[in-house]
Amino acid sequence: MSELRFDGKVAVITGSGHGLGRSHALSLAERGAKVVVNDLGGMLDGTGASAGPAADVVELIKKNGGEAVASTDNVATPEGAKAIVQAAIDAFGRLDIVVNNAGILRDRSFGKMSVEEFDQVLAVHVRGSFLVSREAFPYLKEQGYGRIINTSSPAGLFGSFGQANYSTAKMGLVGLTKTLGIEGARAGIKVNAIAPIAWTRMTESILPAEFEAKFTAEAVSSLVTFLAHESCEASGETFSVGAGRVARVFVAEGPGWSQDDHTVEDIRDNWEAIMAEQPYLSPIVLGQQAAASMKAML
Ligand SMILES: NC(=O)c1ccc[n+]([C@@H]2O[C@H](COP(=O)([O-])OP(=O)(O)OC[C@H]3O[C@@H](n4cnc5c(N)ncnc54)[C@H](O)[C@@H]3O)[C@@H](O)[C@H]2O)c1
């Protein structure tokens, strides 16, 4: 079986000074990609900054025989995002792959969550992924090829107590992934999202201790590396990944119940049919869902 290589390809990986991003950077570099290791180097809640983590990963990649440059810019500002993409162009002359991975946590139960805690989390995850992708997009479009991988979370897909900000951000990335996948299609740009579980500084105080050995960052990076490869044709998809398991996650709609001129009581009386899951429809574009509603009324 031929090895999937990235020789001649250039990747930007945000938040790659620690955890999952670090592992993605090492994996891509090991397979020949030139890498921009971006990391603000702050704390888990996004406060502080340090050039250390990005520099350490660059040093490790170089020690392993790879090529990498460090960026300590902030994904959440337009200037930061521009500088991250520019670092790839300046150092390597092109850009092929963007892994939007940088993230922070500001967990708080909903009743106590401040506006700032909400905004800061959305700024890094959603705004950051938007801004970096936006800067990269013209380069990818121009060359008729590109790969973008966004980092969602089971917390967004399925909900998580104390994470209203984070869940909102992570489900927002599913929408960004779908629409960017549609808009990138003609230019050969494939956009996918992952919803990982891995033992990192972000999860070590939440996950049970026995997860450490199995839920490795490397088990997530194998999927990210495949999604970054030119042979991967998937786009607009989200994948659950952790501890060696990979699964497609899709948004589906049940068969539904329909009746012209229905009353509030009709809704109550047909609740079971409204809640039914089979046979489901999983539209790949907006129009398919609208068509299903139209068909039901004919
Ligand atoms: N570990 C998990 O189980 C898990 C689960 C679901 C989603 N995720 C997501 O995976 C991604 C990586 O998380 P991790 O677990 O490796 O945590 P981590 O804290 O080890 O890594 C996140 C990195 O992002 C960097 N970062 C934060 N804000 C930044 C900014 N504004 N600009 C640039 N860099 C910034 C941090 O310095 C850090 O190195 C995050 O988006 C996280 O939400 C992780």
Side-chain angles (χ1 to χ4, degrees):
M1 288 270 257
S2 64
E3 187 192 3
L4 296 178
R5 297 284 309 171
F6 292 85
D7 303 298
K9 297 284 191 281
V10 175
V12 159
I13 300 139
T14 69
S16 51
H18 290 114
L20 289 173
R22 176 182 184 276
S23 170
H24 305 336
L26 293 174
S27 171
L28 284 163
E30 191 191 310
R31 287 169 181 269
K34 295 168 186 157
V35 174
V36 175
V37 177
N38 160 260
D39 205 291
L40 190 59
M43 311 290 282
L44 191 52
D45 67 359
T47 56
S50 160
D56 289 350
V57 176
V58 167
E59 198 185 310
L60 184 56
I61 289 173
K62 286 183 174 167
K63 208 176 96 192
N64 294 342
E67 282 187 67
V69 291
S71 145
T72 53
D73 299 289
N74 185 351
V75 297
T77 67
E79 311 78 58
K82 195 177 177 62
I84 293 166
V85 169
Q86 196 59 46
I89 305 302
D90 290 348
F92 306 123
R94 61 181 291 133
L95 177 59
D96 305 280
I97 297 155
V98 175
V99 183
N100 289 308
N101 165 81
I104 61 167
L105 283 184
R106 297 269 177 105
D107 292 359
R108 190 90 59 199
S109 60
F110 187 69
K112 295 183 183 143
M113 186 171 286
S114 70
V115 173
E116 203 214 346
E117 284 163 344
F118 186 83
D119 287 346
Q120 289 298 319
V121 167
L122 264 81
V124 176
H125 295 274
V126 180
R127 198 165 187 256
S129 300
F130 163 73
L131 289 172
V132 176
S133 302
R134 180 172 162 270
E135 290 298 331
F137 209 68
Y139 293 102
L140 307 184
K141 208 170 158 188
E142 175 71 25
Q143 70 200 12
Y145 164 78
R147 296 287 181 269
I148 298 175
I149 296 114
N150 294 321
T151 309
S152 180
S153 168
L157 297 171
F158 309 118
S160 173
F161 189 95
Q163 296 195 304
N165 48 5
Y166 186 74
S167 304
T168 304
K170 291 307 199 184
M171 197 60 176
L173 287 168
V174 173
L176 178 66
T177 300
K178 283 184 177 293
T179 294
L180 213 47
I182 291 167
E183 294 198 20
R186 277 178 57 190
I189 303 169
K190 313 283 186 196
V191 188
N192 292 287
I194 60 159
I197 306 180
W199 185 274
T200 68
R201 71 172 188 174
M202 193 178 269
T203 51
E204 62 189 0
S205 61
I206 311 163
L207 294 175
E210 59 269 28
F211 275 41
E212 184 174 4
K214 285 273 178 210
F215 286 79
T216 62
E218 290 74 21
V220 176
S221 297
S222 47
L223 172 65
V224 169
T225 305
F226 175 66
L227 294 175
H229 198 262
E230 58 187 321
S231 65
C232 176
E233 287 296 319
S235 197
E237 301 288 349
T238 298
F239 299 93
S240 172
V241 54
R245 177 175 175 270
V246 181
R248 179 181 182 224
V249 180
F250 51 95
V251 178
E253 182 169 302
W257 164 86
S258 39
Q259 180 183 301
D260 270 333
D261 302 325
H262 55 253
T263 63
V264 176
E265 290 72 24
D266 288 334
I267 299 280
R268 176 197 61 199
D269 298 342
N270 289 282
W271 195 245
E272 208 175 311
I274 291 167
M275 292 296 285
E277 292 177 2
Q278 302 290 345
Y280 65 76
L281 169 75
S282 179
I284 52 167
V285 288
L286 175 68
Q288 286 182 350
Q289 190 267 350
S293 296
M294 186 60 95
K295 196 170 147 213
M297 298 316 297
L298 291 176

